[in-house]
Each structure stands twice: as structure tokens, then as C-alpha cells.
Amino acid sequence: MGTELLAPLDLAFWHLESDAHPMHLGALAVFAPAPDPAHGAEAETVLELLGTRAAAIPRLRMRVRDVLLPVGGAAWFVDKDFDVRRHIERVRLTEAESRDEDGGFMAGATRLAGELMERPLERGLPPWQMYVIGGAGGGPFAVLVKLHHALADGMRAVAIGAGIFDEIAAAGRARGGAPTRRARTVPPRSWMPGPRQVAGLALGRIEDLGRAFGVGASMVRASRLDPRGTPALTASSSGTRRLATADLDLEAVQLIRRAAGGTTNDVLLAVVAGALRRWMRERGEPLPDEDPRALVPVSRRRPGQAAATGNKLSAYLLKLPVGEPDPWKRLGAVRTAMDRNKSAGPFRGAGAVAVLADQLPSLAHRFGAPLAGNAARMLFDILVTSVPLPRSALSLGGCPLRAVYPMAPLARGQALAVALSTYGGRVRVGLVADGKALPDLERLARCADEEVAELLALLPTH
């Protein structure tokens, strides 16, 4: 893999980062002890196994360097001094947490993961890190994976990170490495573009600029004059991070979806809205005069399209109906709004801010990143993203994967980000918050489970 320029959106994520606002994605993968201890890996062995497999993933050997052209740009270069041991670390829990009694292991793992998510990745190295948490005495352990958002969006991050699992690593070895394509014979041609190519390039650029203008106009119309947003979800960054997790019953979510129509994601967005409402009321806070806005990322990768590197994202803006007391009416409002978003498409509307970022020159991202970061709260209050995972059962060193909790970065001035993934018959929810702004994050996680239970309890009457 040679030199590769960062795409405009990747460059935007690279420059949006600061010490208080690290721009990495995360995932906390939790593993049970191996059913057969004779064939299961201990924590120390897992470190070596992770190192071997991560070093074999070409993308994880790349780092970012500035380039002369385009002005303000940067590119991926192979790190000639790459040492995988700089990127993988063992982190120990207390003895009580390691025993996994009364949820002690998960409490300890999430506490440590939140603290580790605070740390920005070292920019002079390939921008990723893995931590092995716990695993003492043959007990459960977790692996926290951090990937910079410039390296990948959620779908691409899953594709990169999947290489650490036994089943996918074994499939790669069986193929003898990455499959190669037979080179096609290409007739020689002049380096000068012909008239049709010039016309095609010009038309494509005009379409891109027109799309960017439309998104920019939508953003202006959607921006709030009052940038404070929803008070409970807005905070001056403390630089701290807190993580909480929730496990929702996928079968219950699917029952609700079949009764209400729409998609599973519609149900989960309504669950987030209901959980926020419950949490605000339990806190004794007045419900906001205006429903909080969620930014809901959507992939721009087409089915069957080659797995491009970097980010291929757009997003929808959605008002989360926390002011509506009826859970089923909340779900109906979410479904209607999302149907409207989908009809417009991922390239239109204020939520498609990533599309606009893709049209800006490198220099604009280098010098405009602070302004763009501060403007986020004028558009949305909370990020709610779904990350697809492989459906097959996975393991690491013979230890079964029990759960994966995805984690999203926090935008500047915002206190909470929600990420969801489905694995093993459960919807795993990862909540990342500013540690000082939301010290009661576990209460919000509990409210998500209560919201599913209430929707399910009301199911026979609708």
C-alpha cells in the first residue's frame, strides 16, 4: 500500500480533533472464558495474538503526514518504523472486578474504557490503539479498540477490526492473504483528456457544487439562532469521558417493529427519545421547549461497491420527540420523520453536512476546523448512530465474543453520543458522555431498557 491522500471528509475529522475533543471511534468487545480452557487464550496470550493479527492488516500500518500539494492537505504513508507493541496494552482491573460477580467485571471494564477514551491517539503514529482489559485467573476479558475517524467510518472500522477474530483471520490465511484480481488489458491512451472526458468532469463538478450549495442553504435554514440547544445535552467540555452500556432484547424490538411498521432503526431511535424523556424527568429537569435534534449518520456506500477506504457518510437530522408522553406516538413521529428524510435522500438537507465537507478544499479544513466544530451545536444536540456487525458467532483465541458496545466521538459543546449494534440476539448500546456533565449516565442506560419494556407492554392494545 503506497501513499494515499486523505479525502476531504477524512481531513475534516483529522483537523477537528483537539485534546479535549478526540476524534476516534471505539468499540468495547467483551469475551467469555473459553469453553475448553486447554484451547483458550489467557490475557497475556491475547496481547501477542492481537499484535500478530493487527500487524497483518495493511491499513493499521499507515500514518498521516502533511503534504505540499494540495495546499493544506495530508496523506497516508506506510510507517517504516511501525512497531505494533506501541499500539497494544494490557490494563488490569481490581481483583473484585476481575471475578465477574454481580456485574463487577462489566462495571470495571466500562469505567476503564471511559477513561481510556479520553486519551487522544498519538498523531505521529498510525492512529489506532487496542487495550486488553481484565482476564485474570481465566475470567472474562474485554478488548477496547480505538480507531481515528479519519481512518474509517463505522462500517469501514468494522471491516478493519474484524481481522482480529479467529474466524476471519483463519479465512484470510485459507485464502493466502487478500484476493488478487487479474489485471485487465487496457489500451494505451493519451494523458490529455478528450473532449468528452472534459465535459464529463465539468458536469460532475457542477453537480457536486450544486449539491454542496443545496446542503449549505439547508444548513443555514436549519441552524438555530440560540446555539445553546437542549441544556441537559449541552456542556462546556471537561475533557473527561464516561461510558455506560445497555443491552436491549432484539426479539422485543422486532416485535415492536412488526406491530408499528417502519424499520428496526426507527424503533431504536424512538427508544432513545423515550429514554431521554424518562431520564430528564427522573433528574427533575423540565422538558425542553424544543425537542432535541439528533444527527443520524447514514452510509453513502452502495451495495456491491468496493470497500473504499476512509469515510463515506451523510446524515439525517431528526427531532427526537421527548415532549410526547405517549410511547407509541413517539414511535409514530420518528417513523414519519425518518420516512421524510429517506424520501429526500442522503444528499439533501442540513444533515448532509458531511457531503458539504467533501466539496471543500484542503486549506478550508485546515483553518476552518475550529469554526466548524463550534457550529455543531447550532445544528444538532446528540449523535445517534447504528453500526452493523457480522451476524456469525466470533471468538478471539478460542474465547467467545459475548458482546460489542460501539462508541462514537463527542462533538464540541455536546455532552452525549449514542451508538448501537446488534450481536448475539441483543442490541448493544454504547453511551459516551462528558464525564462531568453526565455523572448519572448509567441511569440513562437503564431508561433505554425500561422504554423497550413499556413499548412491549403496550403492544396488545395497538
Side-chain angles (χ1 to χ4, degrees):
M1 183 179 289
T3 302
E4 174 192 336
L5 284 175
L6 270 72
L9 183 54
D10 303 341
L11 194 63
F13 286 129
W14 189 249
H15 289 309
L16 277 170
E17 184 168 65
S18 67
D19 288 343
H21 297 90
M23 289 300 298
H24 49 253
L25 309 170
L28 183 66
V30 182
F31 296 88
D36 181 0
H39 295 90
E42 294 290 336
E44 297 300 334
T45 310
V46 168
L47 282 173
E48 183 178 350
L49 190 62
L50 283 175
T52 300
R53 293 179 180 175
I57 300 171
R59 197 70 188 166
L60 297 183
R61 304 175 70 95
M62 307 286 284
R63 70 183 185 92
V64 176
R65 282 190 354 213
D66 291 342
V67 295
L68 293 176
L69 292 175
V71 177
W76 294 103
F77 290 82
V78 175
D79 185 359
K80 296 179 180 179
D81 299 318
F82 177 75
D83 183 351
V84 75
R85 292 172 297 181
R86 295 178 176 178
H87 298 268
I88 299 177
E89 182 180 339
R90 172 82 187 276
V91 184
R92 288 176 170 79
L93 297 171
T94 66
E95 184 178 348
E97 291 169 337
S98 297
R99 288 196 295 266
D100 197 26
E101 296 174 357
D102 301 321
F105 171 75
M106 275 305 301
T110 53
R111 172 185 60 79
L112 272 176
E115 294 172 3
L116 294 169
M117 285 294 287
E118 295 175 8
R119 305 179 187 176
L121 294 163
E122 189 172 339
R123 293 172 78 87
L125 299 174
W128 64 275
Q129 198 78 25
M130 294 184 191
Y131 302 89
V132 178
I133 301 173
F141 67 92
V143 176
L144 174 64
V145 181
K146 291 165 54 175
L147 294 173
H148 199 285
H149 212 332
L151 183 66
D153 55 27
M155 290 183 68
R156 182 63 179 164
V158 170
I160 293 173
I164 70 171
F165 294 110
D166 297 338
E167 296 75 11
I168 295 166
R173 290 195 301 270
R175 291 195 304 265
T180 57
R181 295 183 180 180
R182 183 176 298 174
R184 294 183 302 169
T185 302
V186 180
R189 63 180 181 180
S190 169
W191 63 271
M192 289 289 290
R196 289 186 179 180
Q197 291 174 290
V198 171
L201 289 171
L203 181 59
R205 187 58 182 159
I206 289 171
E207 290 175 348
D208 288 343
L209 290 173
R211 181 181 298 152
F213 180 80
V215 173
S218 297
M219 287 177 59
V220 171
R221 290 193 298 269
S223 295
R224 296 175 290 207
L225 295 178
D226 183 357
R228 290 176 295 179
T230 302
L233 304 176
T234 304
S236 298
S237 177
S238 67
T240 62
R241 292 292 179 270
R242 191 176 184 88
L243 171 66
T245 62
D247 292 88
L248 310 180
D249 186 347
L250 179 59
E251 184 178 352
V253 171
Q254 297 289 20
L255 282 172
I256 296 165
R257 179 194 62 79
R258 286 193 287 270
T263 68
T264 300
N265 202 46
D266 293 342
V267 176
L268 294 176
L269 288 167
V271 167
V272 171
L276 287 172
R277 175 185 171 86
R278 290 171 181 272
W279 173 69
M280 290 177 186
R281 291 177 67 85
E282 285 186 14
R283 275 182 144 202
E285 292 190 9
L287 296 176
D289 295 331
E290 182 181 354
D291 286 333
R293 297 178 179 186
L295 188 74
V296 184
V298 56
S299 176
R300 290 193 282 136
R301 300 179 191 276
R302 298 176 182 174
Q305 186 181 33
T309 58
N311 289 269
K312 292 287 182 183
L313 290 173
S314 184
Y316 299 133
L317 273 185
L318 170 71
K319 284 191 175 183
L320 296 173
V322 300
E324 172 54 59
D326 186 295
W328 279 86
K329 288 183 179 179
R330 282 198 295 271
L331 176 52
V334 167
R335 181 185 172 189
T336 299
M338 288 301 290
D339 285 348
R340 189 183 306 118
N341 277 330
K342 293 168 191 173
S343 295
F347 296 99
R348 296 183 60 187
V353 60
V355 176
L356 178 61
D358 251 343
Q359 312 305 321
L360 297 177
S362 303
L363 204 59
H365 288 301
R366 182 174 291 273
F367 294 107
L371 180 62
N374 289 323
R377 71 169 66 179
M378 298 181 68
L379 276 179
F380 64 96
D381 301 286
I382 180 175
L383 176 74
V384 184
T385 183
S386 294
V387 182
L389 293 179
R391 295 184 180 180
S392 57
L394 299 171
S395 62
L396 176 61
C399 300
L401 177 64
R402 192 161 69 185
V404 180
Y405 300 96
M407 288 169 272
L410 286 182
R412 187 172 283 124
Q414 295 176 346
L416 176 67
V418 181
L420 310 104
S421 285
T422 299
Y423 181 80
R426 309 286 291 178
V427 179
R428 315 291 181 171
V429 186
L431 305 170
V432 176
D434 182 283
K436 291 187 177 179
L438 272 71
D440 57 344
L441 192 61
E442 290 79 6
R443 181 189 298 179
L444 177 57
R446 188 190 70 243
C447 288
D449 194 52
E450 292 172 356
E451 183 68 12
V452 172
E454 183 171 3
L455 281 165
L456 197 63
L458 294 173
L459 192 62
T461 63
H462 287 263

